[in-house]
């Protein structure tokens, strides 16, 4: 029998937060994270997986024409997330904690000494935000470097397209990130490489590297995002303001 339990705002928020950090290929009812959230919400894993598919249908950066079923409430929650990603993720965290599902120390709980001092608290929050951004960006690229396909987590960085310091509203927008290796991340931040809207790579004339390794910086990316494709306006900002053309 189809599940008839109404979706509350809290349910919507927590499922979208799960969507944001879950690789597209793992949004199914047997995923332990889906099962865990289903248990928390008092729903079936299949119900949560279907709601994840609804959110995928709303991702306008992807060709998901075969997906449908998103409701008006789904759209409202989706729009709310991108209007203020940082505020939305804080709300999701509070919604989860409010039901007694408090994180363990390994999940990021704050030791008592971190509750003293505004500067320390700010540092903790920045680290949490960076961790959340990394999780969303890596999930979009299935934990692979877009340039090389490298899949070692230790060698992956969630690179901001519009820099962290330029627009704080974009700091946690996963469409403002590309998964890169440390080498390509440094080159990207320095403006030695940039990306066209189709994610082909442009190299600066200042990128002076031996011909034997130049192929590592040119051509089409090895791994395209499965969700949260970088927005054209973000890529355009990088080309216009960060890239060193000559």
């Amino acid at each position: 029998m189809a599940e008839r339990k109404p979706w509350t705002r809290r349910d919507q928020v927590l499922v979208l937060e799960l969507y944001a950090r879950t690789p597209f290929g793992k949004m199914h009812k047997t995923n332990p994270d889906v099962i865990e959230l289903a248990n928390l919400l008092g729903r079936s894993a299949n119900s949560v997986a279907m709601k994840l598919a609804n959110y995928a249908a709303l991702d306008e950066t992807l060709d998901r024409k075969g997906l449908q079923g998103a409701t008006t409430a789904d759209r409202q929650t989706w729009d709310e997330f991108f209007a203020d990603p940082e505020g939305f993720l804080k709300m999701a965290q509070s919604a989860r904690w409010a039901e007694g599902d408090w994180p363990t120390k390994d999940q990021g709980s704050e030791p008592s000494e971190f509750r003293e001092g505004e500067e320390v608290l700010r540092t903790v929050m920045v680290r949490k935000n960076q961790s959340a951004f990394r999780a969303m960006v890596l999930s979009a690229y299935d934990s692979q470097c877009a340039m090389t396909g490298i899949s070692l987590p230790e060698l992956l960085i969630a690179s901001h397209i519009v820099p962290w310091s330029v627009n704080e509203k974009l700091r946690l927008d996963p469409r403002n990130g590309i998964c890169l290796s440390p080498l390509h991340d440094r080159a990207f931040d320095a403006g030695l490489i940039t990306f066209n809207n189709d994610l082909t790579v442009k190299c600066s004339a200042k990128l002076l590297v031996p011909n034997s390794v130049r192929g590592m910086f040119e051509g089409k990316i090895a791994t395209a995002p499965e969700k949260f494709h970088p927005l054209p306006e973000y890529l355009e900002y990088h080309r216009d303001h960060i890239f060193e053309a000559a």
Side-chain angles (χ1 to χ4, degrees):
M1 179 179 293
E3 186 171 329
R4 298 180 180 277
K5 181 178 180 180
W7 284 90
T8 66
R9 171 172 165 75
R10 171 177 173 267
D11 295 349
Q12 296 270 0
V13 167
L14 289 177
V15 176
L16 181 50
E17 188 275 335
L18 179 61
Y19 174 88
R21 58 181 170 86
T22 302
F24 191 80
K26 295 184 179 179
M27 296 182 190
H28 51 71
K29 63 182 180 181
T30 61
N31 181 341
D33 289 336
V34 173
I35 295 171
E36 178 188 25
L37 181 57
N39 291 335
L40 176 65
L41 301 182
R43 295 182 172 277
S44 69
N46 187 59
S47 173
V48 172
M50 291 178 64
K51 183 60 70 174
L52 290 170
N54 287 356
Y55 286 126
L58 293 174
D59 193 336
E60 297 173 350
T61 69
L62 301 177
D63 181 13
R64 303 295 187 202
K65 296 177 182 178
L67 297 175
Q68 53 186 342
T71 66
T72 299
D74 295 335
R75 167 60 73 180
Q76 291 173 342
T77 308
W78 180 267
D79 291 343
E80 184 179 1
F81 171 50
F82 286 111
D84 180 11
E86 183 173 351
F88 185 94
L89 292 174
K90 287 180 181 177
M91 178 174 59
Q93 187 178 54
S94 297
R96 178 178 286 271
W97 288 5
E99 295 298 317
D101 186 31
W102 296 89
T104 65
K105 182 176 180 180
D106 289 340
Q107 291 174 313
S109 60
E110 295 177 13
S112 59
E113 62 266 27
F114 281 176
R115 298 175 188 151
E116 299 178 9
E118 182 178 346
E119 189 60 36
V120 174
L121 286 173
R122 184 181 297 113
T123 300
V124 170
M125 186 56 64
V126 168
R127 288 176 178 171
K128 285 186 175 180
N129 288 345
Q130 290 173 335
S131 178
F133 182 75
R134 172 182 168 83
M136 292 187 292
V137 173
L138 265 63
S139 76
Y141 289 82
D142 198 20
S143 295
Q144 296 180 61
C145 169
M147 293 285 292
T148 64
I150 289 174
S151 58
L152 289 174
E154 299 86 351
L155 297 179
L156 297 177
I157 293 177
S159 299
H160 281 84
I161 301 169
V162 178
W164 177 276
S165 59
V166 170
N167 186 337
E168 51 183 55
K169 288 186 177 181
L170 304 183
R171 289 178 177 180
L172 296 188
D173 186 341
R175 303 168 302 180
N176 187 38
I178 300 178
C179 183
L180 296 172
S181 72
L183 174 63
H184 293 96
D185 170 70
R186 291 291 297 273
F188 188 56
D189 279 352
L192 297 177
I193 61 172
T194 193
F195 295 93
N196 297 309
N197 291 352
D198 63 357
L199 295 185
T200 52
V201 187
K202 290 179 64 176
C203 294
S204 167
K206 295 182 179 180
L207 182 65
L208 303 177
V209 296
N211 291 334
S212 58
V213 299
R214 192 166 186 83
M216 295 176 60
F217 297 93
E218 295 179 333
K220 190 171 178 60
I221 62 170
T223 304
E226 296 181 317
K227 59 178 181 175
F228 300 144
H229 192 287
L231 292 187
E233 53 265 39
Y234 299 167
L235 295 168
E236 181 179 356
Y237 180 93
H238 190 275
R239 293 194 298 268
D240 291 346
H241 299 280
I242 309 297
F243 183 56
E244 299 281 349

